[in-house]
Amino acid sequence: MQIQSYHAGIICLKKQTIYLRVFLKGFVIMKDIKKITLAGVLLAATLILPFLTGQIPQIGSMVSPMHIPVLICGFVCGWQYGAIVGAVAPILRFLCFGMPPLFPVGLAMTFELAAYGACAGLLYKALPKKTINVYVSLIISMLMGRLVWGVAMFGIAAVSSVNFSIQAFIAGAFINSVPGIIAHIIIIPVIVIALKKVNYFSDELCTGKAY
C-alpha cells in the first residue's frame, strides 16, 4: 500500500509539474505579446511625433521627437525591442513620409536610435530598480546614442563625400540639441515611472524575469 501511495504521489507530482510548465509557457507567451504590442505602439509613435515639429529638420534635430518612444521602449519592453524599434524607425518613416532623408541622416539615425533603445533597456535591467536610476539610465543612454551617432557620421564621411567634423559632432550632438535633451530628461522618466505605478508594465516585463 505504501509503495502504491508513493507511486500515486509521484504521478500526481509529475502531472502538477506538467500543468505548471504549461501555465508558465502560456504566461511567457502573454508577456511576449504584451511586449510586441507595446513596441508596435511606440514604433507608431516614432512615425507620428515628428509631425509636431512640422517635419522641419532644424526643429526636429533640436527636439528629437523620435528619440522619446525609442527610449521608452527600451525601458518598458527591454533592450532587444528598444534596439529593433530604434533601428527600424528612421527607415520606416522614410518609406512612409520621405523623412528623414535616408542618406546620410537616416542611416546615422538608425545606429543612434538602436543604441538609445538598447542602452536604456540594458542599463535599466542592470541597475537597482530605484527612481533615480531611471534618470541615470536615461542620461547615460542619451550620451551613448550621441556617441554612436558621431561614430556613424564619421564612418559615413570616410567613405563618401559627406563633410563631418568634430565641431559638427559637438554642435549636432550637444549644443543644438539642448532643448531636446532637457525635454527628454523631463518627459521620459515621468512617463516610465507613471506606467510602472499604474502597473502597465513591471520590472519583470522589461528584464525578462519570470514572476
Side-chain angles (χ1 to χ4, degrees):
M1 291 294 292
Q2 290 181 347
I3 294 175
Q4 290 178 344
S5 298
Y6 173 77
H7 284 304
I10 293 296
I11 293 171
C12 182
L13 181 60
K14 286 182 178 179
K15 287 182 179 180
Q16 295 300 322
T17 302
I18 292 171
Y19 294 150
L20 180 60
R21 286 179 179 176
V22 171
F23 171 77
L24 290 176
K25 186 176 181 180
F27 182 78
V28 170
I29 291 172
M30 289 302 296
K31 286 209 303 180
D32 287 341
I33 291 173
K34 188 171 184 179
K35 285 183 180 181
I36 293 169
T37 302
L38 284 169
V41 170
L42 292 166
L43 178 59
T46 65
L47 306 182
I48 296 169
L49 286 180
F51 285 112
L52 298 178
T53 64
Q55 294 204 105
I56 300 171
Q58 292 79 3
I59 299 177
S61 62
M62 290 175 60
V63 181
S64 303
M66 290 181 70
H67 296 188
I68 297 173
V70 174
L71 285 160
I72 293 173
C73 186
F75 279 109
V76 304
C77 298
W79 71 269
Q80 301 97 324
Y81 290 89
I84 292 170
V85 169
V88 169
I91 299 171
L92 185 59
R93 196 166 199 287
F94 170 78
L95 294 174
C96 291
F97 306 111
M99 291 290 288
L102 194 56
F103 187 86
V105 178
L107 181 57
M109 282 183 68
T110 294
F111 292 101
E112 178 189 12
L113 296 187
Y116 283 138
C119 288
L122 288 170
L123 289 167
Y124 187 64
K125 178 180 179 179
L127 295 174
K129 301 302 175 285
K130 298 179 180 179
T131 299
I132 186 63
N133 286 332
V134 175
Y135 290 89
V136 172
S137 300
L138 174 62
I139 292 170
I140 295 175
S141 298
M142 291 168 70
L143 290 172
M144 292 301 296
R146 281 163 169 76
L147 289 175
V148 169
W149 172 77
V151 170
M153 285 300 299
F154 279 118
I156 291 169
V159 298
S160 69
S161 58
V162 173
N163 293 318
F164 192 74
S165 64
I166 189 67
Q167 291 81 8
F169 166 68
I170 294 172
F174 300 104
I175 297 174
N176 297 337
S177 300
V178 169
I181 291 171
I182 294 172
H184 296 175
I185 293 174
I186 294 172
I187 294 171
I188 293 172
V190 170
I191 294 174
V192 172
I193 293 166
L195 288 174
K196 186 176 178 181
K197 283 187 175 180
V198 299
N199 294 321
Y200 195 75
F201 82 99
S202 64
D203 293 332
E204 289 79 6
L205 178 63
C206 63
T207 61
K209 298 176 182 177
Y211 282 99

